[in-house]
Amino acid sequence: MGKIGNFGKLIVFEVSEDKILTFSSMQRTVSANWGSHERIGKKPLSEFLSPNLQTVTLEVTLSAQHGVKPRDTLEAIASAVESGKVANLVIGKKKVGEHKWKITQSSETWDTLLTRGELYKASVSLTFEEYL
């Protein structure tokens, strides 16, 4: 099994003979708060106030063709969002950032349904925020 990373035990990104669960893109945002002090006849002075919480967005495809149960996975993710689950986000055996993360938003698209309404393929966008 080729483990790519994980969010706690909830999501394990991996590639194996039986299962493919990966993300297509990862966007990490690191930002800060700055103040601006107005001055007469001059440009404002900038003042660093604090760092903001970092965010990470992942685009994930869930496909039964690749050994994933899309509906079960989406329900587990929704439960984690609504219960406030917090865990390390690990990519390539290294933690992302210094702190744990929470999923603040999950946006899902049901791409392929089979004749009896079974979800065969779905896409989900996950937004994580640093947890302090």
Side-chain angles (χ1 to χ4, degrees), residues 70-125:
R71 193 161 192 162
D72 291 349
T73 304
L74 290 174
E75 288 174 3
I77 290 169
S79 176
V81 173
E82 291 185 336
S83 68
K85 178 160 179 62
V86 173
N88 286 317
L89 179 60
V90 177
I91 306 294
K93 297 183 182 180
K94 292 187 177 185
K95 289 182 4 181
V96 177
E98 297 178 26
H99 304 284
K100 291 186 177 186
W101 297 83
K102 59 190 182 261
I103 304 174
T104 58
Q105 184 174 348
S106 168
S107 178
E108 59 190 59
T109 302
W110 292 26
D111 299 311
T112 306
L113 291 163
L114 300 180
T115 55
R116 294 190 178 167
E118 182 182 350
L119 183 57
Y120 185 74
K121 184 178 177 186
S123 305
V124 61
S125 177

Side-chain angles (χ1 to χ4, degrees), residues 38 45 54 65:
E38 298 296 325
L45 287 176
Q54 295 181 22
Q65 178 181 0

